[in-house]
Amino acid sequence: MQNVVILQARKWFSRSLSSFSSNPLKVCVVGSGPAGFYTAEKMLKAHQQAQVDIIDRLPTPFGLVRSGVAPDHPETKIVINQFSRVAQHEQCSFLGNVTLGSSISLSELRKLYHVVVLAYGAESDRSLGIPGESLKGIYSAREFVWWYNGHPDGRNLDPDLKNTDAAVILGQGNVALDVARILLRPTAELATTDIANYALAALEESSIRKVYLVGRRGPAQAACTAKELREILGIRNVDISIQEVDLRLTPADEEELKSNRIKRRVHELLSKAAAKPRTAGLNQRELHFVFFRKPDSFQESEDRTGHVSGVHFEKTVLKGDGPGKQIAIGTGEFEDIKCGLVLKSIGYKSVPVDGLPFDHKKGIVPNFRGRVLSDTSGDPTLLEEGLYVCGWLKRGPTGIVATNLHCAEETVLSISEDIEKGMLISSAALPKPGREGLLQLLQDRDVRIVSFSDWEKIDSEEKRLGSSRNKPREKLSTWDELHKAALE
């Protein structure tokens, strides 16, 4: 199905459907991460006369490529070069420091533009809803990632890495492995990355020696990829602990692995790691893979009131009808893992804005191939005209950076189809104000816009600061620093 969509998209992209030169298509993309930039790029190719504006609440573009991708994965960030070329296109503009919902409402944007594409991702977190979740020392993985990546909203997190030797990470996906790797990797190796300087300083003084990666299900269901797993298993001077009994496969597990090459490779890597003899010395760190456990409650420290001191887990078994349908069921047996730091890597959550239909159960905007639907019934005829969605807001927080490319192609194909049907723009229709109207409205509200050329000033300053420390950049990590650099 995906191949059919891509072929259809390329067919559309080979033609310019925006023939109304006196009334050019005005498009606003909300969010400047991969989903937003891929959408803008595909729109500019499909509709050569279109004007495309990308707005973002941050003064910096690139979304999770800048603030989510781990600092020791510079190869993943190369896509920034491609996105920069999109932003520099003569028909495109980047407008940072513009927040949907406060700087401008969704209804106002829809009046200004023929097409509004929401691609602002997921900037909140799922909750476990168990006792003790508000204790100090418990954070979401997103918060921790923002902290070490220099996101201005993560600057003041200040996790205490000194007063505990153990951290528990809830979840076993790629984000969980990222944060575990940052906690365990030798800081000398991180020092030449673009990790935030304050985070590097905290990690250099960290007392954490044991990290527990805990999952509700078994190794056959682990959500990470083989590449990420291989990397963390290869960190120097880290002792890997996996209970061999956990690696035993049931017939249902074997069926699951048979049909999934990635999961099969993950299980093979875990099995090899478990078979290696442990060689822990006094100075070595430990990584424990813990399976078949679900958090029941968080324990409060007796010595430090209000701080977490451990996690109370219930042991689980898998029940289900077949491969991919096995769920973790509690057994009534419990055990504790002592720790002073907990990172919850259980999923990001998108946040709705006023006037936007939202499926709170699925955490997405109800849509049909990127077209926003008026309610959650799934009826494809109940459309919000001119309103579209892409990325995590469209499909949920899954996939890698490149997943957004196919996602954007599908959404842009839907837009192209709607244009050809005369649903969005016609020669008889009054022109939309687009960028001019947006700039006027923001000026009236004293919103200080950060343009792409302003971002280039930030970029230049960060690279200058980084060069003296043998780093690719030293990120400016407060709103004041970013705004000051943009104004200079």
Side-chain angles (χ1 to χ4, degrees):
M1 177 62 192
Q2 190 180 68
N3 289 336
V4 173
V5 168
I6 294 168
L7 285 171
Q8 287 179 302
R10 285 172 181 159
K11 178 184 172 186
W12 285 111
F13 298 159
S14 66
R15 304 159 55 195
S16 172
L17 300 178
S18 298
S19 58
F20 307 102
S21 56
S22 61
N23 185 11
L25 182 68
K26 308 286 179 68
V27 180
C28 183
V29 179
V30 183
S32 67
F37 266 106
Y38 281 133
T39 298
E41 181 180 47
K42 297 302 174 187
M43 283 300 304
L44 290 165
K45 285 182 179 177
H47 308 280
Q48 293 172 13
Q49 302 302 313
Q51 294 180 5
V52 180
D53 299 328
I54 306 170
I55 69 171
D56 200 291
R57 74 177 186 88
L58 293 175
T60 55
F62 312 130
L64 281 181
V65 179
R66 177 177 165 93
S67 62
V69 173
D72 55 350
H73 284 177
E75 70 285 352
T76 308
K77 302 183 186 188
I78 292 173
V79 73
I80 282 176
N81 297 330
Q82 178 183 347
F83 294 162
S84 294
R85 288 192 293 273
V86 175
Q88 291 161 344
H89 190 287
E90 61 181 0
Q91 295 292 105
C92 186
S93 71
F94 168 77
L95 304 172
N97 207 41
V98 178
T99 303
L100 181 64
S102 57
S103 304
I104 189 166
S105 69
L106 179 58
S107 62
E108 287 170 331
L109 271 186
R110 294 178 72 181
K111 290 173 185 173
L112 292 170
Y113 291 88
H114 298 105
V115 171
V116 175
V117 183
L118 301 174
Y120 60 77
E123 290 199 328
S124 186
D125 310 286
R126 292 178 185 169
S127 171
L128 285 165
I130 61 175
E133 198 166 0
S134 61
L135 289 169
K136 292 176 182 175
I138 301 174
Y139 308 99
S140 71
R142 175 193 60 80
E143 291 174 306
F144 192 70
V145 169
W146 279 9
W147 172 73
Y148 65 63
N149 271 332
H151 190 295
D153 288 344
R155 176 67 177 85
N156 297 320
L157 191 71
D158 196 25
D160 183 359
L161 308 182
K162 284 185 181 180
N163 288 301
T164 181
D165 69 345
V168 165
I169 299 170
L170 302 175
Q172 295 174 330
N174 282 347
V175 175
L177 266 61
D178 273 350
V179 296
R181 197 177 65 252
I182 295 299
L183 286 170
L184 292 170
R185 177 155 251 166
T187 51
E189 295 177 14
L190 293 174
T192 54
T193 72
D194 66 358
I195 190 169
N197 61 341
Y198 57 82
L200 181 64
L203 289 163
E204 285 172 341
E205 297 183 358
S206 172
S207 301
I208 292 173
R209 295 292 176 266
K210 292 178 282 189
V211 173
Y212 297 86
L213 277 164
V214 187
R216 293 168 179 258
R217 298 188 292 171
Q221 292 79 34
C224 60
T225 59
K227 179 180 178 291
E228 293 278 348
L229 179 59
R230 194 181 299 110
E231 188 175 7
I232 198 166
L233 293 175
I235 297 176
R236 291 187 298 109
N237 300 326
V238 172
D239 208 35
I240 308 296
S241 174
I242 304 169
Q243 298 297 317
E244 289 198 50
V245 65
D246 287 343
L247 291 164
R248 292 175 188 165
L249 298 173
T250 65
D253 289 336
E254 288 174 352
E255 280 297 313
E256 200 164 331
L257 295 183
K258 195 184 295 182
S259 60
N260 192 312
R261 183 182 60 81
I262 295 173
K263 288 188 182 294
R264 193 163 63 243
R265 184 66 183 128
V266 165
H267 190 271
E268 288 169 1
L269 288 168
L270 289 169
S271 299
K272 285 181 183 177
K276 286 184 180 178
R278 296 185 65 179
T279 57
L282 289 175
N283 297 319
Q284 286 198 322
R285 298 179 178 187
E286 302 172 14
L287 174 62
H288 298 257
F289 286 86
V290 182
F291 298 97
F292 304 110
R293 302 288 188 277
K294 67 174 183 175
D296 180 74
S297 62
F298 297 103
Q299 299 166 325
E300 184 176 358
S301 170
E302 294 179 0
D303 304 324
R304 304 173 72 205
T305 303
H307 284 259
V308 69
S309 65
V311 187
H312 188 53
F313 288 100
E314 183 175 11
K315 296 181 181 180
T316 65
V317 293
L318 296 186
K319 296 280 178 71
D321 296 331
K325 296 180 179 178
Q326 298 185 92
I327 59 172
I329 304 294
T331 63
E333 292 181 68
F334 297 87
E335 71 174 21
D336 299 335
I337 297 179
K338 295 297 179 186
C339 64
L341 176 70
V342 177
L343 299 173
K344 302 178 294 179
S345 186
I346 57 171
Y348 288 53
K349 186 173 75 173
S350 294
V351 180
V353 294
D354 286 346
L356 179 65
F358 198 77
D359 187 330
H360 290 274
K361 189 175 180 182
K362 294 179 180 178
I364 61 171
V365 172
N367 71 92
F368 176 67
R369 295 179 181 172
R371 299 176 177 93
V372 174
L373 302 177
S374 298
D375 60 32
T376 58
S377 66
D379 185 343
T381 64
L382 301 175
L383 297 175
E384 289 286 324
E385 187 177 300
L387 189 59
Y388 300 83
V389 67
C390 189
W392 284 3
L393 202 57
K394 172 183 171 183
R395 67 180 190 274
T398 59
I400 58 175
V401 169
T403 309
N404 294 288
L405 174 59
H406 303 302
C407 189
E409 284 184 331
E410 182 184 65
T411 295
V412 173
L413 175 60
S414 293
I415 295 168
S416 298
E417 289 174 343
D418 293 347
I419 290 170
E420 182 156 274
K421 291 174 186 173
M423 295 169 61
L424 302 177
I425 185 172
S426 72
S427 55
L430 288 172
K432 291 271 191 173
R435 186 180 307 159
E436 286 185 19
L438 176 62
L439 292 173
Q440 184 61 57
L441 188 149
L442 294 173
Q443 183 181 328
D444 292 345
R445 292 175 182 173
D446 293 324
V447 176
R448 167 62 171 94
I449 296 163
V450 175
S451 67
F452 196 76
S453 60
D454 293 332
W455 148 248
E456 289 176 324
K457 296 175 189 174
I458 295 170
D459 184 43
S460 178
E461 176 64 5
E462 288 184 343
K463 287 175 178 175
R464 187 190 68 79
L465 292 169
S467 65
S468 63
R469 300 175 182 177
N470 196 29
K471 298 177 67 174
R473 71 174 63 241
E474 186 63 70
K475 288 179 183 170
L476 302 177
S477 56
T478 69
W479 289 91
D480 286 345
E481 286 172 340
L482 290 163
H483 287 147
K484 183 181 176 184
L487 284 167
E488 287 181 349

